[in-house]
């Protein structure tokens, strides 16, 4: 159950950072900062760092707890990146994403 809480927290935080209206004024454009701005528009990139952040704060929450090793931090980043990307491809603002054979989203 801890892993499910971690995945949902990581996806939620990643989605809010990338798409949340509240961050529009501080989210840098993709091509700014020598391309580093792309981090704030990519579910894989931001998902990884959100996972590492959640690993870092795990001693301060009861939702999930992880060991303090660097390998665990890396794995949390990978799990967060993969599931954030997968869920972003599966879900959109209006529910489950459906693609018709013609290639158009509905």
């Amino acid at each position: 159950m801890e892993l499910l809480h971690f995945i949902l927290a990581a996806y939620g935080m990643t989605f809010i950072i990338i798409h949340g209206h509240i961050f529009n004024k501080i989210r840098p454009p993709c091509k700014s900062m020598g391309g580093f701005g792309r981090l704030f528009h990519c579910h894989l990139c931001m998902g990884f760092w959100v996972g590492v952040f959640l690993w870092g704060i795990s001693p301060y929450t009861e939702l999930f707890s992880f060991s303090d090793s660097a390998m665990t931090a890396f794995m949390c980043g990978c799990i967060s990146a993969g599931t954030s990307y997968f869920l972003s491809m599966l879900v959109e603002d209006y529910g489950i994403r459906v693609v018709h054979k013609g290639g158009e989203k509905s």
Side-chain angles (χ1 to χ4, degrees):
M1 195 55 120
E2 283 187 355
L3 185 58
L4 180 61
H5 289 153
F6 173 77
I7 288 169
L8 292 175
Y11 172 68
M13 186 178 288
T14 301
F15 192 87
I16 289 169
I17 292 170
I18 292 175
H19 299 290
H21 182 71
I22 194 168
F23 290 110
N24 282 350
K25 290 184 180 180
I26 61 171
R27 186 181 307 115
C30 280
K31 295 182 181 182
S32 69
M33 301 184 316
F36 184 70
R38 178 76 180 126
L39 169 72
F40 296 90
H41 299 269
C42 172
H43 287 274
L44 279 173
C45 304
M46 184 54 70
F48 178 83
W49 292 110
V50 164
V52 173
F53 172 77
L54 290 175
W55 165 82
I57 65 165
S58 70
Y60 306 103
T61 180
E62 294 182 16
L63 286 175
F64 42 81
S65 59
F66 300 107
S67 71
D68 60 352
S69 73
M71 184 53 75
T72 303
F74 178 73
M75 294 307 296
C76 284
C78 291
I79 290 168
S80 175
T83 56
S84 293
Y85 178 76
F86 174 75
L87 289 172
S88 73
M89 293 293 107
L90 188 64
V91 179
E92 59 185 16
D93 288 347
Y94 303 106
I96 303 296
R97 184 181 304 231
V98 177
V99 179
H100 297 283
K101 287 185 179 181
E104 296 180 24
K105 290 191 317 184
S106 66

